[in-house]
Amino acid sequence: MKANFLKNKVFINSYLFKILALFLSFTLWFFVLNSNPIEVERKIKLKFILPTGHAISNVVTKKLLVTYKGPRTYLRGANFDEKNIFINLKKLKRKGKNKINLKLQLDDIPTAFGVNPIKFSPTTLRVELNKKIYKSVPIKAIFKNTVQNDYKLKSFDIKPSKIMIEGPINMMREQSLVKTLPIDLSNLKGKSKKEIYLESLDARVRFKEEKEVKVYLNYEIRPIKGREVTRRVKIRFLSSKRNFKVKTVYANVTFLISKKVAIQDVKKKIEVIANLPEGVKGRKNIPLKVNLPDNVHLLKVDPAYIKAQL
């Protein structure tokens, strides 16, 4: 009995020692693997601090390719996307010269804990400075595709029609306008507006506004063959209340339909809706919403707003 007990105890101790040895081996392997220095390449952004009233007039790389060396664990934890290389041209003694050859050193490259740069490229930069000016230029609409068959683009305009840009004087002389990205006309109908986007500028020129300026296309696309019709329609009020007061209960709706469409079919499907807000008291202006069937295009609703006592 005692011999069996001792035998089992030896077996258990031996088993525990094996597990412990395996754990220590894995820990040592993991430590050696992660502490062994390795090299990785990362692109680091360049940021120039310019003298007042100047801009860069030549094309200069925006990033440096930097080789870092360090333990795998530290490299994994380093956030290189948030690192920048700052080059302060304000403090540089230019002596009136606007063409500058910069030689960068390893000390200029940002580091991270346990990680160091060992090389980078390019090591030299040529920077040309010129006077910075501001200019208001028109926005030109660029269209792609055409409007649908039997329709025509009657009118359009861009709001805002102009935008302020800034850059070196030599580049600004060539920048007479800003184009939009191509605007697809194939799925547009009626009278409405659409948010559009501007084409990217040359790297040396930028928009003066730091925030993106929203630009809209106001357009009117009508059927080539059609007729303009005005109908008096009763307003439908949407509200959970019953104790509201309004003086206007009808609206005149002007719309455009194809000659192939029967006016009686359209008349039955026109809706003018006033959605009265909940939890609001007092005299309010309520916008009118018009629902029309397909292939019928709203031109105007009169009045566009009604006054309601809530």
Side-chain angles (χ1 to χ4, degrees), residues 88-141:
N88 192 344
L89 297 181
K90 276 186 176 182
K91 296 181 178 180
L92 195 66
K93 294 180 180 179
R94 299 185 291 117
K95 297 180 180 179
K97 294 181 180 180
N98 287 331
K99 295 181 179 180
I100 307 165
N101 291 316
L102 295 172
K103 186 171 181 60
L104 303 178
Q105 307 293 333
L106 277 175
D107 293 341
D108 299 318
I109 310 301
T111 62
F113 181 75
V115 177
N116 292 304
I118 57 173
K119 61 181 179 179
F120 62 92
S121 66
T123 57
T124 58
L125 299 173
R126 181 174 176 81
V127 179
E128 296 179 9
L129 298 179
N130 212 327
K131 182 181 178 182
K132 180 171 70 174
I133 63 170
Y134 303 91
K135 188 177 181 181
S136 179
V137 294
I139 299 174
K140 181 180 180 181

Side-chain angles (χ1 to χ4, degrees), residues 149-163:
N149 292 337
D150 299 327
Y151 285 83
K152 66 177 180 179
L153 178 62
K154 184 179 179 183
S155 64
F156 75 90
D157 61 46
I158 303 291
K159 295 293 182 184
S161 60
K162 291 186 175 183
I163 194 166

Side-chain angles (χ1 to χ4, degrees), residues 13-224:
N13 289 338
S14 176
Y15 185 72
L16 290 174
F17 278 124
K18 288 180 179 179
I19 294 175
L20 181 60
L22 184 63
F23 174 75
L24 291 174
S25 299
F26 176 79
T27 303
L28 183 61
W29 170 83
F30 183 80
F31 176 78
V32 170
L33 179 66
N34 285 276
S35 62
N36 189 34
I38 61 170
E39 296 180 7
V40 296
E41 289 184 340
R42 293 290 184 269
K43 290 185 177 180
I44 308 298
K45 295 177 184 176
L46 274 173
K47 298 283 186 181
F48 290 94
I49 302 172
L50 302 176
T52 304
H54 286 75
I56 295 175
S57 60
N58 66 319
V59 178
V60 181
T61 183
K62 292 184 177 181
K63 294 181 180 180
L64 293 187
L65 183 62
V66 182
T67 302
Y68 284 95
K69 185 175 183 179
R72 189 188 303 270
T73 303
Y74 293 152
L75 284 168
R76 192 183 297 121
N79 192 352
F80 293 104
D81 292 335
E82 295 182 357
K83 295 189 180 299
N84 298 304
I85 300 170
F86 291 96
I87 300 177
N88 192 344
L89 297 181
K90 276 186 176 182
K91 296 181 178 180
L92 195 66
K93 294 180 180 179
R94 299 185 291 117
K95 297 180 180 179
K97 294 181 180 180
N98 287 331
K99 295 181 179 180
I100 307 165
N101 291 316
L102 295 172
K103 186 171 181 60
L104 303 178
Q105 307 293 333
L106 277 175
D107 293 341
D108 299 318
I109 310 301
T111 62
F113 181 75
V115 177
N116 292 304
I118 57 173
K119 61 181 179 179
F120 62 92
S121 66
T123 57
T124 58
L125 299 173
R126 181 174 176 81
V127 179
E128 296 179 9
L129 298 179
N130 212 327
K131 182 181 178 182
K132 180 171 70 174
I133 63 170
Y134 303 91
K135 188 177 181 181
S136 179
V137 294
I139 299 174
K140 181 180 180 181
I142 303 298
F143 296 113
K144 71 174 182 179
N145 302 326
T146 57
V147 297
Q148 296 181 24
N149 292 337
D150 299 327
Y151 285 83
K152 66 177 180 179
L153 178 62
K154 184 179 179 183
S155 64
F156 75 90
D157 61 46
I158 303 291
K159 295 293 182 184
S161 60
K162 291 186 175 183
I163 194 166
M164 188 72 72
I165 59 175
E166 63 179 51
I169 189 170
N170 60 317
M171 293 299 304
M172 296 291 277
R173 287 173 180 153
E174 302 173 6
Q175 191 83 37
S176 59
L177 54 84
V178 173
K179 296 179 181 179
T180 68
L181 291 176
I183 305 166
D184 189 359
L185 296 177
S186 62
N187 57 354
L188 301 181
K189 288 182 183 179
K191 187 176 183 179
S192 187
K193 72 176 183 178
K194 172 185 175 68
E195 185 176 358
I196 56 177
Y197 302 94
L198 301 179
E199 192 176 67
S200 297
L201 298 174
D202 184 279
R204 293 158 288 182
V205 179
R206 67 175 189 172
F207 299 110
K208 188 174 183 296
E209 294 290 335
E210 292 185 3
K211 294 182 179 179
E212 184 179 358
V213 177
K214 290 193 174 183
V215 182
Y216 294 91
L217 170 73
N218 297 310
Y219 63 88
E220 185 175 358
I221 297 176
R222 291 190 178 190
I224 296 174

Side-chain angles (χ1 to χ4, degrees), residues 232-237 244 246-251 272 288 303 306:
R232 189 166 181 258
V233 181
K234 190 171 184 178
I235 300 171
R236 180 183 168 198
F237 296 94
F244 63 87
V246 293
K247 291 184 178 180
T248 306
V249 294
Y250 285 91
V272 179
L288 296 181
I306 61 168

